[in-house]
Amino acid sequence: TILKTIDGGINWTTQTSGTTNGLEQVYFPVANTGYAVGWFGTLLKTTDGGTTWTAQSSGITTRLMSVYFTDAITGYTVGAFGVILKTIDGSSWVSKTSGTSNHLFSVYFSNVNTGYAVGNIGTILKTTDGGDSWALQVSGTTNALLSVYFINTSTGYSVGSAGTILKTIDGGNNWTTQASGTTNDLRSVHFSGANTGFAVGDNGTIINTIDGG
């Protein structure tokens, strides 16, 4: 299922995705060009704002969990068993060595060269060369990390199972645990400013910070 709104979320219309596979995430690097990823290596692309979607070859059959683009044609997707794929033309995807077999649930880039992927057993990976190589970071947790977001090149957050929230202020070299006040799994995190952020998760959980966590 892919839904689209053009009135700020008041109404939503179903788009024809062309697949019955489960879809995990959608990302639009520019207004009309977007990508969706999902089960069995599914990769979809639209160039007309979602009116039509075409399948791209991922070269894999494992689940893709997250997709992120740093510009109109350079993008990344991560998934099960440590899979990381990269495109530099928005069409063809190549596999990159992640150095882990843990499932990766979220990928985010703080600039064109520096990116992060997070996943099972507290896995945090960092790249400083545009995704060509990835290094394991010390997260300090064995809980699954389900989402990662950076507000600039230094300060970032990751959230996950059992209410886990981690924060870094040095570009991912060190991570500290923050008190979320919940034991529900947290599945997504986003900041609207330097200090204001939201995390959402299981059982309808929504938590908010106004002081940087």
Side-chain angles (χ1 to χ4, degrees):
T1 299
I2 300 177
L3 304 177
K4 179 180 180 179
T5 180
I6 57 173
D7 58 10
I10 297 172
N11 298 285
W12 295 81
T13 57
T14 302
Q15 299 190 300
T16 303
S17 68
T19 183
T20 57
N21 293 336
L23 299 173
E24 297 283 351
Q25 195 174 58
V26 62
Y27 189 90
F28 275 69
V30 293
N32 289 314
T33 301
Y35 300 81
V37 300
W39 294 17
F40 309 113
T42 300
L43 260 170
L44 305 177
K45 179 180 181 179
T46 180
T47 56
D48 56 12
T51 302
T52 57
W53 294 81
T54 56
Q56 295 189 309
S57 175
S58 67
I60 62 171
T61 57
T62 52
R63 186 185 301 190
L64 295 172
M65 313 281 198
S66 180
V67 58
Y68 188 89
F69 275 68
T70 56
D71 59 37
I73 58 174
T74 306
Y76 307 83
T77 181
V78 302
F81 306 109
V83 165
I84 298 178
L85 306 178
K86 178 182 179 179
T87 181
I88 57 173
D89 60 9
S91 297
S92 56
W93 296 79
V94 296
S95 178
K96 297 295 180 179
T97 301
S98 67
T100 184
S101 59
N102 293 333
H103 299 336
L104 299 174
F105 297 118
S106 180
V107 60
Y108 189 90
F109 274 69
S110 58
N111 60 38
V112 295
N113 291 314
T114 305
Y116 303 83
V118 300
N120 263 357
I121 322 177
T123 300
I124 300 178
L125 304 177
K126 179 179 179 179
T127 180
T128 57
D129 58 9
D132 290 329
S133 62
W134 296 80
L136 186 66
Q137 308 292 291
V138 177
S139 68
T141 184
T142 57
N143 290 337
L145 298 174
L146 304 176
S147 180
V148 60
Y149 184 87
F150 273 70
I151 61 174
N152 53 45
T153 56
S154 299
T155 304
Y157 301 84
S158 183
V159 302
S161 63
T164 300
I165 299 181
L166 305 180
K167 178 180 181 179
T168 180
I169 58 173
D170 59 8
N173 294 322
N174 296 280
W175 295 82
T176 57
T177 301
Q178 298 194 302
S180 68
T182 181
T183 57
N184 289 322
D185 291 355
L186 298 174
R187 299 192 176 272
S188 185
V189 60
H190 185 90
F191 273 68
S192 57
N195 293 310
T196 303
F198 301 83
V200 299
D202 287 3
N203 301 311
T205 300
I206 303 174
I207 57 176
N208 168 231
T209 179
I210 57 173
D211 59 6

